[in-house]
Amino acid sequence: MGMMNAAETDLDEKAIVAAAESALADIAAVRTEVGKVIFGQEKVVENTLIAVLSGGHALLVGVPGLAKTKLVNTLGGVLGLDANRIQFTPDLMPSDILGSEVMDQDENGRRSFRFVKGPVFAQLLMADEINRASPRTQSALLQSMQEYHVTVAGQRLDLPAPFHVLATQNPLEQEGTYPLPEAQLDRFLMQVDVDYPDLADERRILLETTGLAEEQAGTVLNAGRLMEIQKLIRQMPVSDAVVDAILSLVRSARPGQGNASTDKHVAWGPGPRAGQALMLCARARALYEGRLAPSLDDVHALAEPVLQHRMALTFAARAEGMSVRDVIAGLVKQARN
């Protein structure tokens, strides 16, 4: 019987390796198609795709006009997902996102209520400038991100599967913005910072997007295949060394855990969700980079997008001009040594 179990394990491992190799090919094709339309920004594309492959939501932070919306539209097409977009404004109401009940009257004059679904009923939802809406409206979206269903007039309605929110946020402290509360930021698997393109990429943007014909990205996956890959990522083995690296990195970012630099600069650190995010994202990054198992490099590369929105600096550290990114870079450096 023991031999039988060992053979079964081998079979399982072989099946997982075969499935992972087929996923590698699919992910490589996704990268190629996205690259036809989004120039440069490799890190942004990589981290956003890793968040989706891991089954989570991502917050894209950058000034206007850096193709954040275009990236999300492109991903929806390439991944074969049903996509919707909401432009968040200060007067947006929860019902504008979730949907609302309307009254119908039939030919006999009988009246009844019918629920009209809002834009949240999509597989890929783009929430543009999420910090411009009121906290009440933000919470309606963030609840659906956490619970994958909405409740309207006491009735539970499940959201489509898969369900991913890619939200964008303007980092400029403009008037009329409501910063997302910390507990709501924690709902995002990653915060992806979008910077200005470098010179060569910007030159290509100028030349290729101002002519008559613009390159289009083709569809590579569909929702069913994406969910298979997401399931596979959860089955990928993670070595003890990688698990230990995740734990020590996350714990070193919390004050009171024996890290002198953190005790001095960090007011509060990441909770267990950060570790969960690193476990999933490290596996997805390995596949994205063409490997079958996550490494310490994956953990270190993902530290910033996974941790930066889950911790805050002390007033003294902010007064010194430090940023959360500086602190995380220091922790990664310590971990590498």
Side-chain angles (χ1 to χ4, degrees):
M1 194 67 190
M3 281 179 72
M4 176 74 178
N5 285 346
E8 276 176 7
T9 311
D10 285 350
L11 205 71
D12 285 353
E13 277 178 19
K14 274 183 186 157
I16 287 179
V17 168
E21 282 171 351
S22 125
L24 287 181
D26 283 346
I27 293 167
V30 168
R31 287 180 70 164
T32 305
E33 285 304 312
V34 174
K36 287 181 182 175
V37 180
I38 307 290
F39 311 135
Q41 303 288 20
E42 284 91 359
K43 192 104 172 275
V44 174
V45 172
E46 173 165 332
N47 285 342
T48 309
L49 263 169
I50 286 170
V52 172
L53 292 170
S54 303
H57 314 290
L59 180 63
L60 302 167
V61 178
V63 298
L66 297 182
K68 296 187 294 294
T69 307
K70 189 172 186 180
L71 170 63
V72 179
N73 287 341
T74 304
L75 284 182
V78 172
L79 299 174
L81 299 180
D82 166 34
N84 276 341
R85 174 172 174 268
I86 307 171
Q87 177 68 50
F88 277 59
T89 58
D91 59 351
L92 196 74
M93 299 297 286
S95 59
D96 296 329
I97 294 175
L98 306 179
S100 53
E101 296 214 302
V102 294
M103 189 178 277
D104 279 346
Q105 189 167 337
D106 64 15
E107 62 273 14
N108 303 323
R110 277 201 300 268
R111 291 177 176 179
S112 59
F113 283 106
R114 176 169 60 92
F115 178 66
V116 178
K117 288 179 174 179
V120 76
F121 288 88
Q123 293 168 325
L124 184 68
L125 181 68
M126 163 129 206
D128 242 336
E129 295 196 281
I130 189 173
N131 54 333
R132 291 192 64 209
S134 69
R136 182 181 167 195
T137 302
Q138 288 174 9
S139 67
L141 173 68
L142 291 149
Q143 181 186 8
S144 32
M145 285 167 55
Q146 183 65 14
E147 298 174 12
Y148 297 96
H149 67 259
V150 300
T151 308
V152 180
Q155 196 178 352
R156 174 185 160 141
L157 297 159
D158 288 330
L159 292 167
F163 175 67
H164 298 285
V165 174
L166 297 180
T168 71
Q169 184 176 310
N170 207 319
L172 308 174
E173 295 301 323
Q174 293 168 312
E175 284 182 33
T177 59
Y178 301 86
L180 292 178
E182 286 74 16
Q184 294 182 349
L185 281 171
D186 202 20
R187 303 272 185 273
F188 289 100
L189 199 64
M190 282 205 220
Q191 177 183 316
V192 182
D193 291 328
V194 187
D195 289 323
Y196 293 107
D198 64 25
L199 180 61
D201 292 327
E202 194 158 2
R203 179 187 296 275
R204 194 176 160 204
I205 290 167
L206 283 184
L207 295 173
E208 296 199 23
T209 59
T210 57
L212 287 173
E214 242 189 273
E215 184 83 64
Q216 296 291 316
T219 303
V220 175
L221 303 184
N222 57 38
R225 179 63 181 136
L226 175 62
M227 287 168 78
E228 281 174 14
I229 294 174
Q230 289 171 342
K231 190 176 171 189
L232 169 77
I233 283 168
R234 286 180 169 268
Q235 292 172 302
M236 282 172 72
V238 181
S239 70
D240 285 347
V242 170
V243 174
D244 291 343
I246 289 169
L247 283 168
S248 78
L249 181 67
V250 171
R251 295 177 71 83
S252 73
R254 297 173 186 159
Q257 297 287 325
N259 187 299
S261 163
T262 299
D263 289 348
K264 188 178 171 191
H265 300 124
V266 177
W268 50 268
R273 261 204 199 115
Q276 293 169 329
L278 278 170
M279 277 286 280
L280 283 171
C281 294
R283 293 156 162 160
R285 185 177 188 268
L287 279 186
Y288 188 88
E289 303 256 331
R291 289 177 280 110
L292 295 179
S295 67
L296 297 181
D297 269 355
D298 293 319
V299 177
H300 299 151
L302 292 163
E304 188 182 289
V306 168
L307 297 179
Q308 64 174 332
H309 57 298
R310 292 186 162 101
M311 51 197 291
L313 299 185
T314 59
F315 178 76
R318 293 201 306 274
E320 283 175 29
M322 285 190 79
S323 73
V324 170
R325 284 188 215 100
D326 299 331
V327 171
I328 296 169
L331 294 174
V332 169
K333 198 174 171 186
Q334 281 177 15
R336 283 189 197 276
N337 299 334

